[in-house]
């Protein structure tokens, strides 16, 4: 995650420069791209503060070198419990949040997905320790509480903060319903899940009109 960018900033700077050089080229060709730079696995506001400064510096350099201007946003993945609990602080440096619910599930439950699904998760579901595979259907009681907390805290700092999720939960109907009720703006998912996701999002919007929190 962002530990790589903090430890070896030249790697992130190279990646960001590539994104912005491509953006500048598209602007020259008459397009209006708006790149979104997403900082992964943050646990503290200082991480995104440091890396956002780097992104802004590189963007300015690229715009000056190419003689163009473009708009971009910088956001972060909320993938750890600490990030969700400190979302109000992190939001001060982010234009958007995207909950990485696959990793948030692993870090909240203390499960390695590969180990869990290959070794004991089937028994947990069969013996009703848990109701569903939490990597397929969002764990509303635990992970979901962190998602709601992150949304509420983030919007305390920035009321119009754009918030979504990425990962397999973004294509699962029950999870999409939960995200709608939690006030998220969007979900993303694998291409083959898009039809199901759109249907589930539409159903949630109809079934829970004016009930988002």
């Amino acid at each position: 995650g962002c530990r790589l960018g903090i430890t070896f900033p030249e790697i992130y700077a190279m990646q960001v420069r590539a994104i912005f050089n491509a953006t500048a080229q598209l602007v020259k060709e008459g397009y209006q791209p708006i790149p979104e730079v997403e900082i992964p696995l943050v646990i503290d506001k200082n991480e995104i503060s440091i890396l956002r400064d780097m992104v802004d510096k590189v963007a300015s350099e690229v715009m000056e070198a190419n003689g163009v201007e473009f708009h971009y946003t910088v956001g972060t993945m909320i993938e750890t419990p600490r990030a969700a609990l400190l979302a109000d602080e992190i939001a001060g440096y982010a234009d958007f949040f995207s909950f990485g619910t696959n990793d948030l599930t692993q870090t909240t439950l203390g499960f390695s997905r590969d180990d869990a699904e290959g070794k004991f998760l089937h028994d947990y579901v069969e013996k009703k320790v848990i109701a569903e595979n939490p990597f397929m259907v969002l764990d509303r009681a635990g992970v979901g509480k962190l998602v709601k907390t992150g949304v509420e805290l983030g919007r305390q700092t920035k009321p119009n903060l754009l918030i979504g999720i990425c990962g397999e939960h973004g294509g699962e109907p029950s999870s999409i319903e939960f995200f709608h009720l939690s006030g998220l703006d969007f979900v993303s998912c694998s291409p083959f899940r898009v039809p199901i996701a759109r249907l589930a999002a539409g159903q949630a919007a109809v079934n829970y009109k004016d009930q988002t929190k």
Side-chain angles (χ1 to χ4, degrees):
C2 62
R3 260 64 73 191
L4 178 67
I6 297 293
T7 309
F8 299 101
E10 63 274 14
I11 295 177
Y12 267 32
M14 174 270 294
Q15 294 176 335
V16 170
R17 191 175 299 277
I19 292 170
F20 290 149
N21 277 333
T23 302
Q25 181 61 41
L26 288 170
V27 171
K28 291 178 181 179
E29 294 174 7
Y31 297 97
Q32 294 182 316
I34 304 177
E36 299 177 348
V37 179
E38 194 167 69
I39 309 298
L41 274 170
V42 300
I43 60 168
D44 195 273
K45 65 181 180 180
N46 291 327
E47 291 170 323
I48 189 169
S49 172
I50 291 169
L51 293 172
R52 176 161 199 146
D53 285 346
M54 180 272 293
V55 171
D56 290 340
K57 180 176 181 292
V58 173
S60 295
E61 291 172 353
V62 171
M63 283 189 268
E64 183 177 354
N66 286 274
V68 300
E69 291 188 0
F70 52 78
H71 179 67
Y72 63 93
T73 59
V74 181
T76 187
M77 300 284 285
I78 303 295
E79 302 170 275
T80 68
R82 193 176 197 273
L85 295 171
L86 297 178
D88 52 338
E89 297 181 7
I90 292 170
Y93 301 89
D95 299 318
F96 63 88
F97 282 172
S98 182
F99 284 92
T101 54
N102 293 340
D103 282 328
L104 186 58
T105 296
Q106 292 192 108
T107 56
T108 301
L109 274 62
F111 288 176
S112 161
R113 184 173 187 177
D114 291 339
D115 285 345
E117 290 190 323
K119 295 178 181 177
F120 66 85
L121 199 52
H122 175 76
D123 289 330
Y124 263 48
V125 174
E126 188 175 90
K127 295 176 181 178
K128 302 188 186 306
V129 178
I130 55 178
E132 304 274 0
N133 178 339
F135 296 106
M136 301 302 295
V137 180
L138 187 81
D139 163 39
R140 295 192 184 195
V143 178
K145 187 174 290 187
L146 286 170
V147 170
K148 282 189 172 183
T149 298
V151 171
E152 291 168 3
L153 290 176
R155 288 193 174 137
Q156 281 180 19
T157 300
K158 288 185 177 176
N160 296 319
L161 184 68
L162 181 70
I163 304 179
I165 77 106
C166 65
E168 289 188 46
H169 295 115
E172 196 280 315
S174 173
S175 304
I176 291 171
E177 177 186 79
F178 174 82
F179 298 137
H180 175 80
L181 291 171
S182 299
L184 270 64
D185 298 299
F186 68 90
V187 299
S188 63
C189 59
S190 303
F192 75 93
R193 292 177 179 265
V194 168
I196 294 174
R198 294 185 67 174
L199 178 60
Q203 289 175 332
V206 170
N207 293 338
Y208 298 98
K209 187 177 181 181
D210 301 324
Q211 292 185 37
T212 54
K213 298 179 181 180

